[in-house]
């Protein structure tokens, strides 16, 4: 292990010297990843990002992006170099604390050597100026993310690592930050992002939209959606701002379901606790513009008008996945199991199947008309996907929800609702993993034995014996 670290440090020093005309690297380089079990190069070691200030300009006709990223971070150790994740695009200039910095590119890694070494605990600002045609990233499961050109613009979707296709940063859910984005597009188009719209200005045929996100956000739920939008602003009965942006082709199909956002948020607050962000809403694009919905923070993204259950799922993620974010991608079931169980609870409260009936149908193989889909639930334990292409597979969603139902059966409804709200509160705007969750459950119900739930349902192979 020691030899490997030395070789990596030596290789980084050599590459930087080649890029910048000589000079050895003294001190300790920052890490090129946080060693996530499925995406080991995602994120970066040696610092924590506090804020991103992104200035972007996009030309949809040329599919060309120009950007400046000003990133404020705090060093967590002494560093001579540090890394940023950036896939594609041409880097023109990098400064650290206003001074030119040497840099090198290798794959998705942008390695930066500041003029002065950074001290442990030091807050620093790195600015990267870049441009180019952003790439579309193909995930291990074959889905596409990153920067997706659309018929009238583009959309940036980041789960799990696609945000590195349009801005440099530490792209792992464990490194959350606040954001300011200024996005300039041709006049007549709109640019929708997370948080609150703080400004809109048109000059010389270009319009700049500025957005501010005050609560911490993981980069995989950051979005920018450029296109022709019908926007609507309203508030819930409690005064929470609701901002929706809908492609005109989807306006009629979306109107009724989006009108239920205040109702769904109120229902979710009763079950999960106070809404964790300063606004809510949705983005509805054309059906062909992406292959999936995503829980982008504040306002989920949908390719085409969603049905109510899908809207419930993505809004539930604002608590479970966005506010309480996973420490690693192995903990994906803490996102999807909770959001799937929210669907079950909604159906139960709306007079549909009870959560118990949904659980029984999944267990018996009668939930899906297709036998392969029914069998897929038992392909692997929800807390231990075998590979990166499995982190969004059926066991993570459905069997993850079944784990929660087993906990509900064991502790009873009153204690279970308290557990749901307490978990969201305990890790609000933070990160948690499966060990944190199991410890929280056991502490919340100290008189119960959860061995069977953990061993058979959360980590066990195959279908457990009849419950």
């Amino acid at each position: 292990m020691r030899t490997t670290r030395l070789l990596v440090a030596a290789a980084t020093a050599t590459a930087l010297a080649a890029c910048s005309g000589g000079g050895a690297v003294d001190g300790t380089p920052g890490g090129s990843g946080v060693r996530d079990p499925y995406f080991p190069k995602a994120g970066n070691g040696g610092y924590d990002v506090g804020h991103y200030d992104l200035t972007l300009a996009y030309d949809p006709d040329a599919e060309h992006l120009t950007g400046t990223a000003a990133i404020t971070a705090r060093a967590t150790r002494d560093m001579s170099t540090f890394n940023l994740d950036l896939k594609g695009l041409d880097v023109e200039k990098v400064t650290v604390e206003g001074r030119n910095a040497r840099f090198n590119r290798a794959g998705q890694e942008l390695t930066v050597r500041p003029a002065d070494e950074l001290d442990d605990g030091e807050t620093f600002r790195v600015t990267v100026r870049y441009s180019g045609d952003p790439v579309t990233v193909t995930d291990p499961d074959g889905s596409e993310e990153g920067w997706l050109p659309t018929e009238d613009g583009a959309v940036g979707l980041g789960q799990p690592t696609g945000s590195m296709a349009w801005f440099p940063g530490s792209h792992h859910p464990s490194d959350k930050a606040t954001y300011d984005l200024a996005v300039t597009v041709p006049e007549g188009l709109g640019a929708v992002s997370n948080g609150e719209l703080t400004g809109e200005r048109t000059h010389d045929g270009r319009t700049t939209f500025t957005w501010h996100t005050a609560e911490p956000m993981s980069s995989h739920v950051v979005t920018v959606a450029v296109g022709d939008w019908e926007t609507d602003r309203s508030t819930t009965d409690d005064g929470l701002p609701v901002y929706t942006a809908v492609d005109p082709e989807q306006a009629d199909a979306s109107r009724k379901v989006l009108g239920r956002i205040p109702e769904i948020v109120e229902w979710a607050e009763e079950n999960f606790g106070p809404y964790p962000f300063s606004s809510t809403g949705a983005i509805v694009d054309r059906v062909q513009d992406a292959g999936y919905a995503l829980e982008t923070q504040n306002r989920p993204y949908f390719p085409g008008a969603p049905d109510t259950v899908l809207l419930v799922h993505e809004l539930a993620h604002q608590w479970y996945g966005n506010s309480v974010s996973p420490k690693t991608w192995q903990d994906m079931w803490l996102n999807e199991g909770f959001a799937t169980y929210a669907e079950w609870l909604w159906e139960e409260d709306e007079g549909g199947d009870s959560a118990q009936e949904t659980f029984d149908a999944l267990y018996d193989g009668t939930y899906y008309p297709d036998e392969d889909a029914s069998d897929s639930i038992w392909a692997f334990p929800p807390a231990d996907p075998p590979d990166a292409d499995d982190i969004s597979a059926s066991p993570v969603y459905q069997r993850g929800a079944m784990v929660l139902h087993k906990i509900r059966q064991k502790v009873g409804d009153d204690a279970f609702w308290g557990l749901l709200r307490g978990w969201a509160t305990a890790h609000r705007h933070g990160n948690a993993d499966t060990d944190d969750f199991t410890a929280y459950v056991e502490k919340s119900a100290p008189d119960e034995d959860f061995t069977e739930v953990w061993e058979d349902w959360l980590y066990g192979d195959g279908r457990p014996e009849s419950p």
Side-chain angles (χ1 to χ4, degrees):
M1 185 65 69
R2 177 178 173 83
T3 302
T4 301
R5 285 200 298 266
L6 290 172
L7 288 173
V8 170
T12 302
T14 301
L16 283 167
C19 174
S20 52
V25 175
D26 298 322
T28 304
S32 61
V34 296
R35 300 301 179 258
D36 185 275
Y38 302 111
F39 301 94
K41 286 291 187 180
N44 297 284
Y47 64 91
D48 288 324
V49 177
H51 184 73
Y52 290 91
D53 194 340
L54 305 178
T55 303
L56 308 175
Y58 185 62
D59 180 353
D61 290 337
E63 297 185 359
H64 187 81
L65 180 71
T66 300
T68 299
I71 304 166
T72 303
R74 180 181 59 84
T76 56
R77 64 186 183 214
D78 295 339
M79 290 192 299
S80 55
T81 67
F82 60 90
N83 284 35
L84 297 167
D85 301 317
L86 183 65
K87 187 175 181 66
L89 301 170
D90 299 317
V91 176
E92 298 157 13
K93 185 178 182 180
V94 180
T95 64
V96 178
E97 289 297 285
R99 300 180 64 185
N100 288 341
R102 301 174 182 178
F103 62 90
N104 180 64
R105 303 293 300 279
Q108 70 181 55
E109 299 297 326
L110 169 62
T111 305
V112 178
R113 181 184 181 184
D116 296 314
E117 293 186 7
L118 300 169
D119 296 328
D120 185 7
E122 178 181 352
T123 297
F124 63 96
R125 184 178 173 92
V126 53
T127 302
V128 181
R129 194 170 68 201
Y130 60 97
S131 63
D133 301 339
V135 299
T136 297
V137 178
T138 301
D139 284 340
D141 66 1
S143 60
E144 293 185 336
E145 55 174 295
W147 193 261
L148 308 178
T150 63
E151 188 172 330
D152 59 350
V155 60
L157 299 176
Q159 186 170 290
T161 62
S163 294
M164 65 180 176
W166 53 282
F167 69 95
S170 184
H171 293 298
H172 188 267
S174 61
D175 197 351
K176 305 171 82 166
T178 57
Y179 283 75
D180 283 293
L181 288 92
V183 188
T184 300
V185 295
E187 184 177 0
L189 296 181
V192 185
S193 189
N194 314 86
E196 284 72 60
L197 180 66
T198 58
E200 181 179 336
R201 181 178 62 88
T202 299
H203 179 70
D204 288 342
R206 308 274 287 173
T207 303
T208 300
F209 298 83
T210 54
W211 294 85
H212 174 67
T213 303
E215 297 90 3
M217 177 164 59
S218 297
S219 66
H220 73 279
V221 289
V222 179
T223 190
V224 169
V226 176
D228 182 16
W229 305 111
E230 290 188 13
T231 61
D232 181 77
R233 304 186 206 192
S234 61
T235 60
T236 66
D237 290 342
D238 293 334
L240 180 72
V242 181
Y243 184 101
T244 60
V246 182
D247 186 281
E249 290 186 3
Q250 297 297 316
D252 289 343
S254 300
R255 190 168 291 111
K256 183 176 180 180
V257 66
L258 296 186
R260 301 192 73 178
I261 288 176
E263 174 192 357
I264 294 170
V265 170
E266 180 182 357
W267 170 86
E269 287 188 310
E270 292 175 359
N271 287 281
F272 312 142
Y275 184 74
F277 302 115
S278 52
S279 68
T280 189
I283 301 169
V284 181
D285 222 331
R286 305 180 194 200
V287 175
Q288 65 270 26
D289 288 338
Y292 52 90
L294 188 63
E295 62 270 21
T296 43
Q297 191 158 302
N298 301 91
R299 50 193 51 83
Y301 174 87
F302 301 96
D307 61 24
T308 305
V309 173
L310 179 58
L311 182 59
V312 167
H313 181 105
E314 302 303 345
L315 288 175
H317 272 309
Q318 305 307 308
W319 283 261
Y320 308 111
N322 293 4
S323 177
V324 184
S325 302
K327 283 184 180 178
T328 78
W329 287 111
Q330 185 171 354
D331 306 303
M332 184 72 151
W333 84 273
L334 289 172
N335 296 16
E336 301 302 347
F338 273 84
T340 301
Y341 200 71
E343 297 178 31
W344 299 10
L345 295 177
W346 174 267
E347 294 278 23
E348 187 172 75
D349 287 349
E350 289 287 292
D353 289 344
S354 68
Q356 183 65 53
E357 288 171 327
T358 302
F359 178 97
D360 290 341
L362 286 165
Y363 186 85
D364 295 339
T366 58
Y367 185 84
Y368 296 110
D370 180 76
E371 184 177 349
D372 289 340
S374 297
D375 292 342
S376 70
I377 296 171
W378 315 109
F380 58 83
D384 192 19
D387 212 334
D389 59 356
D390 295 308
I391 64 171
S392 293
S394 179
V396 173
Y397 288 68
Q398 301 292 1
R399 191 167 165 187
M402 296 175 87
V403 170
L404 296 179
H405 192 69
K406 293 296 294 183
I407 296 170
R408 179 182 175 184
Q409 288 177 328
K410 186 168 284 289
V411 303
D413 279 4
D414 289 345
F416 183 71
W417 304 134
L419 191 151
L420 287 181
R421 291 188 291 269
W423 173 249
T425 299
H427 295 280
R428 183 180 175 93
H429 301 315
N431 295 85
D433 61 17
T434 301
D435 286 345
D436 294 324
F437 178 71
T438 56
Y440 182 84
V441 172
E442 291 173 355
K443 183 177 179 181
S444 299
D447 296 331
E448 301 291 344
D449 182 2
F450 293 94
T451 301
E452 176 196 1
V453 179
W454 308 149
E455 290 185 354
D456 295 346
W457 291 90
L458 185 58
Y459 284 107
D461 292 322
R463 189 174 74 160
E465 292 185 10
S466 180

